[in-house]
Amino acid sequence: MTDAVTENAFLGGQLSLVQPKKGYRAGVDPVLLAASVPAKSGQSVLELGCGIGAASFCLAARVPGLQLAAIEIQPRYAELARENAARNGIEIDIFDGDLLALPEPLRQIQFDHVIANPPYFDREASTAAVDLGREVAMGEATPLADWVTTAARRLRQGGYASFIHRTERLPDLLSAMSGLLGSVQVAPLQAREGRASGLVLVRGRKGGRADFRLHAPILMHLGARHEADGESYTPQIRAVLRDGAPLPFETSAKTI
């Protein structure tokens, strides 16, 4: 991976993150994931596959006083995540390594929350990216079920696992969560009115017993189509992306 990086503002300038100029680059997905996590000050959070740290840092910007840890399999991205933590004054333990062989310090901790933005594409069913960093980040090498299993093992009883993934992988994600995580909730993300959901936010609770809940779609953009230059985010999504606002699965969502 080239050493060339760019400096990008997140949350309306609350965060300044460096990331590779070419390769996998954090966009809105980790920001949406972070906004959906029902974390409270003083709780502990582990991110699996943190990349440059965008999800963890956006969560830290919204919820002060979290105890943060993360693991990243690509050393260069882990290095950038540490640099980003330092530039933004965020305390976090970032480990190099594979989520299938967690470092001993992580195996000794049970977390209140585990979050992940797993690779979206099955390597056997899609064309590999030219850039290795992007290929590792976007092409699934570790089965999705292993991401879920690792998340469940690292949660304390009553803790939450939160994921963002492509809608077509929802059956795989729900199957992997069965028997490991309960009180499962799904919030579809809908790009525009009249369009099918492309992404889903999914949350499960270790030991949860509540019924499965499929929430109404969260609309991302105004209008049925893109008709002019400039952004067209709904006020709710604009507040998430620009102000670091939370993204509840529903307006009157209750903790279960």
Side-chain angles (χ1 to χ4, degrees), residues 57-108:
F57 301 149
C58 287
L59 179 55
R62 178 170 64 86
V63 185
L66 294 173
Q67 301 170 41
L68 300 171
I71 186 166
E72 169 56 43
I73 196 170
Q74 299 191 78
R76 176 55 173 149
Y77 284 87
E79 177 186 338
L80 290 174
R82 294 187 190 97
E83 179 179 341
N84 285 328
R87 333 170 30 102
N88 291 279
I90 296 173
E91 292 188 13
I92 182 172
D93 293 321
I94 298 173
F95 296 83
D96 293 74
D98 191 329
L99 62 87
L100 295 181
L102 292 178
E104 185 64 25
L106 292 181
R107 295 203 302 269
Q108 299 301 318

Side-chain angles (χ1 to χ4, degrees), residues 2 20 72 75 151 238:
T2 177
E72 169 56 43
R238 186 181 300 113

Side-chain angles (χ1 to χ4, degrees), residues 121-131 134-135 138-140:
F121 302 104
D122 187 336
R123 283 182 170 178
E124 295 183 358
S126 60
T127 303
V130 174
D131 180 86
R134 181 174 176 81
E135 167 60 14
M138 298 297 291
E140 180 182 298

Side-chain angles (χ1 to χ4, degrees), residues 190-193 219-227 231-236 238:
Q190 183 181 16
R192 295 184 183 276
E193 291 183 3
L219 190 63
M220 297 280 293
H221 295 273
L222 297 169
R225 62 181 63 86
H226 184 70
E227 296 180 341
E231 67 177 38
S232 58
Y233 291 118
T234 63
Q236 180 185 30
R238 186 181 300 113

Side-chain angles (χ1 to χ4, degrees), residues 19 22 25 38 78 84 122 137 170 179 185 188 192 204 209 235 249 251 255:
Q19 56 185 329
K22 295 182 178 180
R25 292 173 56 81
N84 285 328
D122 187 336
L170 180 58
Q185 300 186 58
R192 295 184 183 276
R209 297 177 178 273
F249 281 11
T251 303
T255 301

Side-chain angles (χ1 to χ4, degrees), residues 113-203:
H113 298 272
V114 177
I115 66 175
N117 179 187
Y120 286 162
F121 302 104
D122 187 336
R123 283 182 170 178
E124 295 183 358
S126 60
T127 303
V130 174
D131 180 86
L132 179 59
R134 181 174 176 81
E135 167 60 14
V136 173
M138 298 297 291
E140 180 182 298
T142 301
L144 184 56
D146 289 334
W147 287 77
V148 174
T149 298
T150 299
R153 286 176 176 170
R154 299 277 39 88
L155 283 174
R156 67 167 181 79
Q157 194 71 4
Y160 292 94
S162 298
F163 305 93
I164 187 169
H165 217 294
R166 292 182 62 84
T167 302
E168 62 261 32
R169 298 301 305 279
L170 180 58
D172 300 324
L173 189 52
L174 294 179
S175 177
M177 294 171 76
S178 179
L180 296 175
L181 298 167
S183 301
V184 176
Q185 300 186 58
V186 176
L189 294 167
Q190 183 181 16
R192 295 184 183 276
E193 291 183 3
R195 295 190 185 181
S197 166
L199 294 172
V200 286
L201 291 163
V202 182
R203 180 190 306 149

